[in-house]
Amino acid sequence: QVQLVESGGGLVQPGGSLRLSCAASGSIFSTNAMGWYRQAPGKQRELVATITSGGSTNYADSVKGRFTISRDNAKNTVYLQMNSLKLEDTAVYYCNADIWTTVTRRSRYWGQGTQVTVSS
């Protein structure tokens, strides 16, 4: 059993910053790519950023230069530093991880989501 627990969401003014964290726990053999997705009201869930176990990153064009994804492999934790937040960044942010629970068993897991609201 694997759980992803997110934290760090909240209310922030435009131009402000937030840092999200997501810790994976449970029966983990190894963790591959981890990432963040978001879903705004009335919209589909979209990719925000991903990071491989080796540290290679990928960002949505809408967040490039403002958001930074990082991870601590020893803690099975991924972070999302969000700067220069805009109104359109308002969404529920979900953590995702590609995890091997045994040598032969691999699955994708999702966190429960954390609300980020950008408002003046």
Side-chain angles (χ1 to χ4, degrees):
Q1 197 80 338
V2 173
Q3 284 188 320
L4 301 182
V5 179
E6 299 132 336
S7 61
L11 174 65
V12 64
Q13 292 185 339
S17 298
L18 282 175
R19 187 187 193 219
L20 305 183
S21 299
C22 172
S25 63
S27 181
I28 297 173
F29 179 75
S30 68
T31 305
N32 294 336
M34 303 183 80
W36 291 93
Y37 292 71
R38 67 187 181 186
Q39 187 167 18
K43 295 188 177 181
Q44 291 188 332
R45 190 173 298 188
E46 63 177 2
L47 171 72
V48 175
T50 60
I51 184 168
T52 68
S53 57
S56 296
T57 59
N58 179 55
Y59 294 93
D61 288 342
S62 60
V63 306
K64 282 181 181 177
R66 300 188 298 121
F67 291 9
T68 302
I69 190 170
S70 61
R71 63 188 286 170
D72 184 332
N73 289 332
K75 296 180 179 180
N76 286 315
T77 299
V78 62
Y79 306 96
L80 185 68
Q81 178 66 43
M82 304 185 293
N83 298 330
S84 302
L85 282 160
K86 303 177 180 180
L87 297 176
E88 53 264 40
D89 293 318
T90 295
V92 177
Y93 284 69
Y94 296 92
C95 172
N96 175 268
D98 184 17
I99 294 174
W100 291 90
T101 52
T102 68
V103 176
T104 58
R105 188 179 184 90
R106 173 184 176 185
S107 299
R108 292 187 74 187
Y109 295 88
W110 291 91
Q112 80 284 358
T114 186
Q115 177 70 46
V116 171
T117 302
V118 184
S119 175
S120 55

